[in-house]
Amino acid sequence: MSYGAPQGGYGYGPPQGPPPQGYGQPQGYPPQGQYGQPPQQPYGAPPQGQYPPPQGQYPPPHQGQYGQPPPQQHGYPQGPPSHSPYPQQQQPYGAPPSHSPYPQQQQPYGAPPPGQHPPQGQYPPQQHQPPHGGPPAPYGAPPSQPYGAPQTMPTPPSAGYDPNQIARVDMSGAADGLRKAMKGFGTDEATVIRILAHMPPQEVPALKQTYQQRHHRNLESDLKGELSGYFEFAVLAVLRGPLQQDVWCLNDALKGAGTKENLLDDVLIGRSNADIRAIKQAYQQTYRRSLEADVKSDLSAKTERMYSMILSASRQEESAPVFPQAVDQDVTELHRATEAKTGAEQLTVCSILTSRSDGQIRAIAQAYEHKYRRALETVVKDEFAGHMEDALVRMVRSGADKAMRDAIALEECMKGPGTKDERLVTRVVA
């Protein structure tokens, strides 16, 4: 008989004597500890119209008692108290352990010590622990959510990195404008800039398709024949779209003798898991080769290991919580692997910075400076050199302040004698 049955039961009286032992519930008794079915009456009280519990057994708890959700909250799993007079029974699959309505778990940050109760009427804070009494998840893995609670939301792909992000808009005006700008002698470059400079990435595929349908010509081929130099380079980068432009840059960085590590950094460092997965898939479809395999064959030693960590797409999502204890643990480990010893442990630093979310890296950088009175970026510059230094500094900047990271990257292209035009165009278009 479930809670909320008509007063007086379903036409038959309660069975005599205590319920028998064994799997399942006998008819006439309310199910104990059903998952996801809250009782209508206070926990422990019998349904209306039924015999009361024998004298001396558990009374209904007071409102607001620790372990009992507030009256306005419903739908949370309930279980029998540990001092229940009934014998222990085998629990159905998926139900919480019979000895306690909640698994024994480590106290979260800010929770009251074991044995203490929160103020009356307050529900204990949610704990990010594995269900059914499993061990606490280590920092670096997404925290498990209670049964029925929303999971940590993955960071969505950036604009232009999802094939389904195609704008269904009329691009006939833009297509005709571009065709008119390229007709006759010379090219109206101002019109090309006006049409393409502020076009969202989702509209670019529609523009190329409309141009092909209306003029029976390929837009990229026409622009390539009409333009030249770095202006052509920039226009074609816009027409490729951000995803295909990243794929093009990665191939350019890895082909031929040597590796353009700065291009790898610009494309891969600080990206979400969804963007990394989209880039790897597009690279495979475009060149019929695995991006991980190309990186592994072109690089070596610890640099290759670092990029393998990035390409694993196993960063914490931006919606993942920032736990102060875990941040302090990372700060201590980073100090131990750098300033506290002679010779930095490169892979330890890489494993932390490549697996944490931007929010977590920002908290780590702030906590490190507060604890050791030195900026984490300064420590990385002092302990590392060459490309490893550049990559790790970019990781710290990506988490701390993306706008400042991009401003510094643009300034690097223009400082000193001459301008690194190709790198500047790539960074501006990206």
mmCIF file of all heavy atoms in Angstrom, residues 331 334-335 338-341 362-384 396:
data_model
loop_
_atom_site.group_PDB
_atom_site.id
_atom_site.type_symbol
_atom_site.label_atom_id
_atom_site.label_comp_id
_atom_site.label_asym_id
_atom_site.label_seq_id
_atom_site.Cartn_x
_atom_site.Cartn_y
_atom_site.Cartn_z
ATOM 1 N N VAL A 331 47.661 24.491 -5.819
ATOM 2 C CA VAL A 331 48.664 25.530 -5.549
ATOM 3 C C VAL A 331 49.887 24.913 -4.882
ATOM 4 O O VAL A 331 51.033 25.186 -5.256
ATOM 5 C CB VAL A 331 48.050 26.635 -4.670
ATOM 6 C CG1 VAL A 331 49.136 27.549 -4.113
ATOM 7 C CG2 VAL A 331 47.044 27.445 -5.476
ATOM 8 N N LEU A 334 51.794 22.817 -7.460
ATOM 9 C CA LEU A 334 52.526 23.638 -8.419
ATOM 10 C C LEU A 334 53.787 24.234 -7.782
ATOM 11 O O LEU A 334 54.847 24.284 -8.420
ATOM 12 C CB LEU A 334 51.624 24.769 -8.928
ATOM 13 C CG LEU A 334 50.536 24.376 -9.933
ATOM 14 C CD1 LEU A 334 49.587 25.542 -10.177
ATOM 15 C CD2 LEU A 334 51.147 23.911 -11.243
ATOM 16 N N HIS A 335 53.685 24.656 -6.536
ATOM 17 C CA HIS A 335 54.866 25.196 -5.848
ATOM 18 C C HIS A 335 55.911 24.110 -5.647
ATOM 19 O O HIS A 335 57.107 24.341 -5.841
ATOM 20 C CB HIS A 335 54.445 25.798 -4.505
ATOM 21 C CG HIS A 335 55.588 26.414 -3.755
ATOM 22 N ND1 HIS A 335 56.262 25.744 -2.752
ATOM 23 C CD2 HIS A 335 56.186 27.628 -3.868
ATOM 24 C CE1 HIS A 335 57.220 26.522 -2.276
ATOM 25 N NE2 HIS A 335 57.204 27.672 -2.922
ATOM 26 N N THR A 338 57.821 23.443 -8.861
ATOM 27 C CA THR A 338 58.563 24.550 -9.487
ATOM 28 C C THR A 338 59.549 25.187 -8.503
ATOM 29 O O THR A 338 60.706 24.801 -8.430
ATOM 30 C CB THR A 338 57.579 25.607 -10.024
ATOM 31 O OG1 THR A 338 56.698 26.030 -8.961
ATOM 32 C CG2 THR A 338 56.743 25.047 -11.152
ATOM 33 N N GLU A 339 59.096 26.128 -7.723
ATOM 34 C CA GLU A 339 59.987 26.923 -6.880
ATOM 35 C C GLU A 339 60.609 26.126 -5.738
ATOM 36 O O GLU A 339 61.689 26.481 -5.261
ATOM 37 C CB GLU A 339 59.222 28.106 -6.289
ATOM 38 C CG GLU A 339 58.772 29.129 -7.311
ATOM 39 C CD GLU A 339 58.118 30.311 -6.654
ATOM 40 O OE1 GLU A 339 56.960 30.178 -6.213
ATOM 41 O OE2 GLU A 339 58.764 31.367 -6.566
ATOM 42 N N ALA A 340 59.934 25.083 -5.281
ATOM 43 C CA ALA A 340 60.406 24.369 -4.104
ATOM 44 C C ALA A 340 61.519 23.375 -4.402
ATOM 45 O O ALA A 340 61.985 22.684 -3.498
ATOM 46 C CB ALA A 340 59.234 23.639 -3.431
ATOM 47 N N LYS A 341 61.940 23.280 -5.655
ATOM 48 C CA LYS A 341 62.982 22.303 -5.982
ATOM 49 C C LYS A 341 63.830 22.838 -7.124
ATOM 50 O O LYS A 341 63.461 23.815 -7.787
ATOM 51 C CB LYS A 341 62.352 20.962 -6.361
ATOM 52 C CG LYS A 341 61.438 21.018 -7.574
ATOM 53 C CD LYS A 341 60.845 19.681 -7.915
ATOM 54 C CE LYS A 341 61.904 18.655 -8.182
ATOM 55 N NZ LYS A 341 61.384 17.343 -8.538
ATOM 56 N N ARG A 362 41.938 30.426 -12.936
ATOM 57 C CA ARG A 362 41.896 31.779 -12.377
ATOM 58 C C ARG A 362 41.982 31.735 -10.850
ATOM 59 O O ARG A 362 42.717 32.509 -10.225
ATOM 60 C CB ARG A 362 40.612 32.477 -12.829
ATOM 61 C CG ARG A 362 40.501 33.926 -12.402
ATOM 62 C CD ARG A 362 39.468 34.653 -13.235
ATOM 63 N NE ARG A 362 38.197 33.960 -13.305
ATOM 64 C CZ ARG A 362 37.730 33.350 -14.397
ATOM 65 N NH1 ARG A 362 38.446 33.324 -15.501
ATOM 66 N NH2 ARG A 362 36.561 32.749 -14.384
ATOM 67 N N ALA A 363 41.243 30.826 -10.234
ATOM 68 C CA ALA A 363 41.296 30.687 -8.771
ATOM 69 C C ALA A 363 42.671 30.211 -8.309
ATOM 70 O O ALA A 363 43.179 30.664 -7.273
ATOM 71 C CB ALA A 363 40.212 29.711 -8.309
ATOM 72 N N ILE A 364 43.289 29.306 -9.066
ATOM 73 C CA ILE A 364 44.627 28.810 -8.712
ATOM 74 C C ILE A 364 45.643 29.940 -8.776
ATOM 75 O O ILE A 364 46.484 30.094 -7.881
ATOM 76 C CB ILE A 364 45.019 27.649 -9.650
ATOM 77 C CG1 ILE A 364 44.155 26.406 -9.360
ATOM 78 C CG2 ILE A 364 46.492 27.311 -9.517
ATOM 79 C CD1 ILE A 364 44.298 25.313 -10.406
ATOM 80 N N ALA A 365 45.589 30.760 -9.838
ATOM 81 C CA ALA A 365 46.547 31.866 -9.982
ATOM 82 C C ALA A 365 46.395 32.874 -8.842
ATOM 83 O O ALA A 365 47.392 33.358 -8.282
ATOM 84 C CB ALA A 365 46.350 32.544 -11.333
ATOM 85 N N GLN A 366 45.160 33.179 -8.475
ATOM 86 C CA GLN A 366 44.939 34.125 -7.376
ATOM 87 C C GLN A 366 45.410 33.550 -6.042
ATOM 88 O O GLN A 366 46.044 34.247 -5.245
ATOM 89 C CB GLN A 366 43.454 34.487 -7.316
ATOM 90 C CG GLN A 366 42.970 35.281 -8.519
ATOM 91 C CD GLN A 366 41.460 35.437 -8.551
ATOM 92 O OE1 GLN A 366 40.735 34.849 -7.739
ATOM 93 N NE2 GLN A 366 40.958 36.233 -9.493
ATOM 94 N N ALA A 367 45.096 32.271 -5.819
ATOM 95 C CA ALA A 367 45.492 31.650 -4.550
ATOM 96 C C ALA A 367 47.009 31.493 -4.461
ATOM 97 O O ALA A 367 47.594 31.635 -3.376
ATOM 98 C CB ALA A 367 44.811 30.288 -4.408
ATOM 99 N N TYR A 368 47.661 31.202 -5.584
ATOM 100 C CA TYR A 368 49.126 31.054 -5.572
ATOM 101 C C TYR A 368 49.790 32.376 -5.182
ATOM 102 O O TYR A 368 50.694 32.406 -4.341
ATOM 103 C CB TYR A 368 49.621 30.589 -6.945
ATOM 104 C CG TYR A 368 51.061 30.121 -6.942
ATOM 105 C CD1 TYR A 368 51.364 28.765 -6.903
ATOM 106 C CD2 TYR A 368 52.120 31.024 -6.968
ATOM 107 C CE1 TYR A 368 52.680 28.320 -6.887
ATOM 108 C CE2 TYR A 368 53.429 30.601 -6.947
ATOM 109 C CZ TYR A 368 53.713 29.245 -6.898
ATOM 110 O OH TYR A 368 55.013 28.824 -6.876
ATOM 111 N N GLU A 369 49.350 33.477 -5.793
ATOM 112 C CA GLU A 369 49.950 34.774 -5.479
ATOM 113 C C GLU A 369 49.679 35.177 -4.028
ATOM 114 O O GLU A 369 50.532 35.765 -3.364
ATOM 115 C CB GLU A 369 49.415 35.834 -6.436
ATOM 116 C CG GLU A 369 50.081 37.183 -6.274
ATOM 117 C CD GLU A 369 49.759 38.141 -7.413
ATOM 118 O OE1 GLU A 369 48.950 37.767 -8.300
ATOM 119 O OE2 GLU A 369 50.310 39.257 -7.420
ATOM 120 N N HIS A 370 48.485 34.838 -3.531
ATOM 121 C CA HIS A 370 48.158 35.168 -2.144
ATOM 122 C C HIS A 370 49.014 34.359 -1.162
ATOM 123 O O HIS A 370 49.450 34.884 -0.128
ATOM 124 C CB HIS A 370 46.677 34.901 -1.893
ATOM 125 C CG HIS A 370 46.248 35.145 -0.483
ATOM 126 N ND1 HIS A 370 46.039 36.410 0.032
ATOM 127 C CD2 HIS A 370 45.989 34.283 0.544
ATOM 128 C CE1 HIS A 370 45.674 36.317 1.299
ATOM 129 N NE2 HIS A 370 45.633 35.041 1.630
ATOM 130 N N LYS A 371 49.277 33.106 -1.498
ATOM 131 C CA LYS A 371 49.986 32.225 -0.568
ATOM 132 C C LYS A 371 51.501 32.419 -0.623
ATOM 133 O O LYS A 371 52.173 32.420 0.424
ATOM 134 C CB LYS A 371 49.630 30.767 -0.873
ATOM 135 C CG LYS A 371 50.193 29.762 0.112
ATOM 136 C CD LYS A 371 49.646 28.362 -0.163
ATOM 137 C CE LYS A 371 50.143 27.358 0.878
ATOM 138 N NZ LYS A 371 49.581 25.998 0.638
ATOM 139 N N TYR A 372 52.055 32.586 -1.825
ATOM 140 C CA TYR A 372 53.507 32.630 -1.973
ATOM 141 C C TYR A 372 54.044 34.000 -2.396
ATOM 142 O O TYR A 372 55.254 34.139 -2.621
ATOM 143 C CB TYR A 372 53.950 31.570 -2.981
ATOM 144 C CG TYR A 372 53.644 30.163 -2.536
ATOM 145 C CD1 TYR A 372 52.643 29.419 -3.160
ATOM 146 C CD2 TYR A 372 54.336 29.574 -1.481
ATOM 147 C CE1 TYR A 372 52.344 28.128 -2.751
ATOM 148 C CE2 TYR A 372 54.037 28.283 -1.068
ATOM 149 C CZ TYR A 372 53.045 27.561 -1.701
ATOM 150 O OH TYR A 372 52.749 26.289 -1.286
ATOM 151 N N ARG A 373 53.146 34.976 -2.528
ATOM 152 C CA ARG A 373 53.550 36.344 -2.830
ATOM 153 C C ARG A 373 54.290 36.463 -4.166
ATOM 154 O O ARG A 373 55.150 37.328 -4.341
ATOM 155 C CB ARG A 373 54.431 36.916 -1.700
ATOM 156 C CG ARG A 373 53.745 36.935 -0.352
ATOM 157 C CD ARG A 373 52.626 37.970 -0.337
ATOM 158 N NE ARG A 373 52.036 38.090 0.980
ATOM 159 C CZ ARG A 373 50.825 37.676 1.303
ATOM 160 N NH1 ARG A 373 50.057 37.101 0.383
ATOM 161 N NH2 ARG A 373 50.349 37.838 2.513
ATOM 162 N N ARG A 374 53.981 35.593 -5.097
ATOM 163 C CA ARG A 374 54.541 35.668 -6.447
ATOM 164 C C ARG A 374 53.453 35.288 -7.443
ATOM 165 O O ARG A 374 52.666 34.365 -7.202
ATOM 166 C CB ARG A 374 55.737 34.724 -6.629
ATOM 167 C CG ARG A 374 56.972 35.092 -5.825
ATOM 168 C CD ARG A 374 58.178 34.332 -6.343
ATOM 169 N NE ARG A 374 58.616 34.834 -7.650
ATOM 170 C CZ ARG A 374 59.353 34.137 -8.494
ATOM 171 N NH1 ARG A 374 59.723 32.907 -8.200
ATOM 172 N NH2 ARG A 374 59.747 34.662 -9.636
ATOM 173 N N ALA A 375 53.428 36.008 -8.568
ATOM 174 C CA ALA A 375 52.445 35.705 -9.605
ATOM 175 C C ALA A 375 52.788 34.366 -10.262
ATOM 176 O O ALA A 375 53.963 34.069 -10.524
ATOM 177 C CB ALA A 375 52.412 36.809 -10.651
ATOM 178 N N LEU A 376 51.776 33.563 -10.521
ATOM 179 C CA LEU A 376 52.009 32.251 -11.137
ATOM 180 C C LEU A 376 52.639 32.407 -12.519
ATOM 181 O O LEU A 376 53.507 31.607 -12.900
ATOM 182 C CB LEU A 376 50.685 31.489 -11.242
ATOM 183 C CG LEU A 376 50.753 30.084 -11.830
ATOM 184 C CD1 LEU A 376 51.695 29.199 -11.033
ATOM 185 C CD2 LEU A 376 49.346 29.462 -11.889
ATOM 186 N N GLU A 377 52.248 33.425 -13.265
ATOM 187 C CA GLU A 377 52.851 33.640 -14.584
ATOM 188 C C GLU A 377 54.347 33.925 -14.467
ATOM 189 O O GLU A 377 55.148 33.426 -15.266
ATOM 190 C CB GLU A 377 52.150 34.800 -15.291
ATOM 191 C CG GLU A 377 52.705 35.090 -16.670
ATOM 192 C CD GLU A 377 51.957 36.199 -17.383
ATOM 193 O OE1 GLU A 377 50.744 36.361 -17.135
ATOM 194 O OE2 GLU A 377 52.594 36.919 -18.194
ATOM 195 N N THR A 378 54.727 34.694 -13.461
ATOM 196 C CA THR A 378 56.147 34.979 -13.241
ATOM 197 C C THR A 378 56.921 33.718 -12.892
ATOM 198 O O THR A 378 58.050 33.503 -13.360
ATOM 199 C CB THR A 378 56.303 36.019 -12.123
ATOM 200 O OG1 THR A 378 55.582 37.205 -12.469
ATOM 201 C CG2 THR A 378 57.762 36.363 -11.890
ATOM 202 N N VAL A 379 56.320 32.862 -12.089
ATOM 203 C CA VAL A 379 56.966 31.599 -11.713
ATOM 204 C C VAL A 379 57.195 30.743 -12.957
ATOM 205 O O VAL A 379 58.271 30.161 -13.151
ATOM 206 C CB VAL A 379 56.110 30.846 -10.674
ATOM 207 C CG1 VAL A 379 56.675 29.452 -10.414
ATOM 208 C CG2 VAL A 379 56.017 31.641 -9.379
ATOM 209 N N VAL A 380 56.193 30.658 -13.829
ATOM 210 C CA VAL A 380 56.327 29.860 -15.050
ATOM 211 C C VAL A 380 57.443 30.418 -15.925
ATOM 212 O O VAL A 380 58.262 29.664 -16.481
ATOM 213 C CB VAL A 380 54.986 29.834 -15.812
ATOM 214 C CG1 VAL A 380 55.162 29.199 -17.187
ATOM 215 C CG2 VAL A 380 53.929 29.061 -15.019
ATOM 216 N N LYS A 381 57.523 31.735 -16.051
ATOM 217 C CA LYS A 381 58.576 32.342 -16.868
ATOM 218 C C LYS A 381 59.967 32.070 -16.294
ATOM 219 O O LYS A 381 60.937 31.888 -17.044
ATOM 220 C CB LYS A 381 58.348 33.844 -16.974
ATOM 221 C CG LYS A 381 57.158 34.224 -17.828
ATOM 222 C CD LYS A 381 56.997 35.741 -17.876
ATOM 223 C CE LYS A 381 55.848 36.161 -18.769
ATOM 224 N NZ LYS A 381 55.668 37.637 -18.799
ATOM 225 N N ASP A 382 60.077 32.039 -14.965
ATOM 226 C CA ASP A 382 61.384 31.805 -14.337
ATOM 227 C C ASP A 382 61.811 30.339 -14.415
ATOM 228 O O ASP A 382 63.012 30.042 -14.483
ATOM 229 C CB ASP A 382 61.346 32.248 -12.874
ATOM 230 C CG ASP A 382 61.255 33.763 -12.731
ATOM 231 O OD1 ASP A 382 61.514 34.461 -13.722
ATOM 232 O OD2 ASP A 382 60.914 34.236 -11.624
ATOM 233 N N GLU A 383 60.852 29.420 -14.376
ATOM 234 C CA GLU A 383 61.180 27.999 -14.274
ATOM 235 C C GLU A 383 61.240 27.278 -15.617
ATOM 236 O O GLU A 383 61.784 26.181 -15.706
ATOM 237 C CB GLU A 383 60.143 27.293 -13.376
ATOM 238 C CG GLU A 383 60.110 27.803 -11.931
ATOM 239 C CD GLU A 383 61.356 27.443 -11.170
ATOM 240 O OE1 GLU A 383 61.973 26.406 -11.488
ATOM 241 O OE2 GLU A 383 61.743 28.207 -10.248
ATOM 242 N N PHE A 384 60.683 27.881 -16.670
ATOM 243 C CA PHE A 384 60.649 27.213 -17.968
ATOM 244 C C PHE A 384 61.265 28.112 -19.021
ATOM 245 O O PHE A 384 61.505 29.302 -18.793
ATOM 246 C CB PHE A 384 59.204 26.866 -18.354
ATOM 247 C CG PHE A 384 58.537 25.896 -17.414
ATOM 248 C CD1 PHE A 384 57.815 26.361 -16.321
ATOM 249 C CD2 PHE A 384 58.639 24.538 -17.613
ATOM 250 C CE1 PHE A 384 57.205 25.483 -15.454
ATOM 251 C CE2 PHE A 384 58.029 23.648 -16.751
ATOM 252 C CZ PHE A 384 57.322 24.123 -15.664
ATOM 253 N N VAL A 396 47.989 29.988 -18.482
ATOM 254 C CA VAL A 396 47.684 30.804 -17.310
ATOM 255 C C VAL A 396 46.901 32.042 -17.728
ATOM 256 O O VAL A 396 45.902 32.414 -17.091
ATOM 257 C CB VAL A 396 48.980 31.192 -16.567
ATOM 258 C CG1 VAL A 396 48.669 32.159 -15.431
ATOM 259 C CG2 VAL A 396 49.675 29.946 -16.026
#
